[in-house]
Amino acid sequence: MTVPVPLPRLPRRLALMLAVLACVSTNAFAQDAGGTMPVDVQAPPALSAKPVKPAIKPGSCAKPVFPKAALRSMQEGTVTLSFLIGTSGAVQDAKIVKSSGFHLLDLAAIDGIRRCVFNPTMVDGKAEQSWMQMQYVWTLDGPSATEAAVPLATVRAAAQRGEPASQLRLGTIYMTGEGVARDPAEAVAWWRKAADQGDLKAHLSLAVALHYGDAGKPDLAQAMAWYRKAADLGMPEAQNMLGLLLSEGTGVPADKLAAREWFRKAAAQGWARSQAYYGKLLLDDNTPEGIEQGVALLSRAAAQDDFVGQYFLGQCYDTGRGVPQDKAMAATLFEKAALGGSKPAQRLMATMYERGEGVTADPVKATQWRMASQIRPPRPR
């Protein structure tokens, strides 16, 4: 089994705010024969009535999913889009007017607006095509209101008294630079103090920092030791990471059986990534029972918006393995996985849009996904 890049610890809570789902400006009425977007086109002289501007139909425009690859690298920004609303109210075209600076965020915004339905522009009671602009604001939450209300001096004093929860919090402050100069070495030192006192979250934070070398060179031997301590105490995130490292033999001897067991334990606790990995292993057993259980686990992982589960489940629908063959459903799952940062899914979506397999052929989208697939995944922070 080829294992995708792991989902590392996110150093602070993250949330999506969809802002300005309203008109920034309107350039309405019909697109010209050449296919370019008109700017400030006026209503035909014969039409004296004031046009009724388009509006989103209530409940038709769900928030798009924040791409997980963007979350891992803590990307945020504002995308300005221009989009064409057809006479039926469906979005027929969308263009990026101003990029967020991050390709996946731009693609997710386009995907989000294409799913919206509007009441079209009306002129003299007749529906007309129209262009609108809007913005998606992708933003990351900082600490909770409770944490933010506690002064840094208070957190530091409690940490110095030896309180593990405060030591964990102080380490996070230094790792993310919340009100202080970012200092990964100081963060690791405080996490180690908390971990030495048995704080389970500190076990994982310290393991990840050592794994990726946040405060210097990676130290996989120490990272494995802390992952194992957290895994033995039942932490599914740590169990998943042990399974991942052991399955690939990354810095340690490969042990497929041990990896499988760690994935099974984490999956039993509902950890989506391990449900995806263990589900794929069950599929690979190629027994009727294994295929049935594997598809069930992949479905649970995909339902939790896990891009690995979405990709593997998409493969099932693409080939009809354990489920009825459904190319359109496969394409939907692959595209969700692509937005989550799966490089295989991004390459696949480029090919599918080029060939019109499971989707309507779209050379623009094919190019966008091809470009996204070539961008090196950001190093976890």
Side-chain angles (χ1 to χ4, degrees):
M1 177 180 69
T2 299
V3 182
V5 176
L7 177 65
R9 166 189 54 80
L10 297 177
R12 56 175 175 168
R13 282 172 301 281
L14 298 145
L16 164 67
M17 178 180 70
L18 173 60
V20 204
L21 243 187
C23 177
V24 176
S25 66
T26 57
N27 301 321
F29 301 112
Q31 192 172 17
D32 66 15
T36 59
M37 187 180 69
V39 178
D40 198 24
V41 177
Q42 301 299 317
L47 300 178
S48 59
K50 184 177 180 179
V52 178
K53 295 180 179 180
I56 297 172
K57 287 187 176 180
S60 74
C61 203
K63 291 181 179 180
V65 176
F66 207 132
K68 282 190 168 61
L71 288 177
R72 287 197 296 273
S73 57
M74 300 181 72
Q75 295 172 358
E76 56 186 345
T78 299
V79 187
T80 302
L81 299 178
S82 182
F83 55 97
L84 176 65
I85 302 171
T87 56
S88 67
V91 175
Q92 296 183 343
D93 194 8
K95 307 173 187 293
I96 297 171
V97 176
K98 184 177 180 181
S99 171
S100 66
F102 300 103
H103 200 64
L104 277 182
L105 295 184
D106 295 346
L107 288 174
I110 287 179
D111 180 71
I113 197 61
R114 285 181 181 271
R115 298 173 189 273
C116 297
V117 179
F118 293 76
N119 294 313
T121 293
M122 303 297 294
V123 180
D124 277 353
K126 182 182 177 182
E128 298 281 355
Q129 291 187 3
S130 61
W131 284 90
M132 289 184 66
Q133 282 192 13
M134 57 147 290
Q135 292 179 333
Y136 278 98
V137 180
W138 302 93
T139 186
L140 307 176
D141 272 352
S144 69
T146 301
E147 290 174 336
V150 180
L152 175 60
T154 302
V155 175
R156 189 187 304 278
Q160 290 172 342
R161 288 196 302 270
E163 296 180 9
S166 295
Q167 292 170 340
L168 173 67
R169 171 72 182 125
L170 188 57
T172 301
I173 287 172
Y174 276 110
M175 184 58 73
T176 59
E178 297 173 23
V180 298
R182 189 169 182 268
D183 189 340
E186 188 74 5
V188 168
W190 284 111
W191 282 339
R192 190 180 295 277
K193 291 177 185 293
D196 285 339
Q197 295 192 71
D199 188 285
L200 194 56
K201 291 181 180 179
H203 281 58
L204 184 64
S205 294
L206 180 58
V208 173
L210 293 167
H211 183 175
Y212 291 104
D214 286 340
K217 292 183 179 180
D219 189 336
L220 198 54
Q222 279 200 59
M224 283 289 289
W226 286 108
Y227 279 137
R228 189 173 295 278
K229 287 180 181 181
D232 287 339
L233 291 170
M235 194 173 203
E237 299 98 311
Q239 292 170 343
N240 180 75
M241 285 303 301
L242 273 181
L244 190 64
L245 294 171
L246 290 169
S247 67
E248 289 294 288
T250 305
V252 295
D255 189 334
K256 301 291 186 182
L257 290 177
R260 182 182 179 117
E261 181 61 12
W262 285 119
F263 286 143
R264 185 195 67 77
K265 288 181 178 180
Q269 296 191 65
W271 193 250
R273 183 57 51 84
S274 288
Q275 289 176 333
Y277 290 153
Y278 189 55
K280 182 63 165 61
L281 290 171
L282 289 172
L283 281 176
D284 291 344
D285 288 343
N286 206 29
T287 64
E289 183 180 3
I291 292 173
E292 181 181 359
Q293 292 178 357
V295 168
L297 280 173
L298 292 179
S299 298
R300 291 175 196 165
Q304 296 182 64
D305 196 38
D306 181 80
F307 72 83
V308 177
Q310 289 164 343
Y311 180 72
F312 288 150
L313 187 60
Q315 290 181 324
C316 291
Y317 277 101
D318 189 46
T319 61
R321 190 178 189 196
V323 294
Q325 189 175 40
D326 187 334
K327 294 288 187 178
M329 176 61 76
T332 297
L333 287 163
F334 287 144
E335 191 148 29
K336 288 181 178 179
L339 285 168
S342 168
K343 293 301 175 183
Q346 290 170 359
R347 290 190 290 270
L348 188 55
M349 287 312 304
T351 300
M352 294 177 79
Y353 275 114
E354 285 171 354
R355 299 176 180 176
E357 296 177 355
V359 295
T360 302
D362 188 329
V364 174
K365 279 195 169 185
T367 299
Q368 289 174 335
W369 280 122
R370 188 74 65 195
M371 290 173 59
S373 71
Q374 294 169 357
I375 297 173
R376 185 175 180 178
R379 183 184 182 280
R381 287 172 55 182

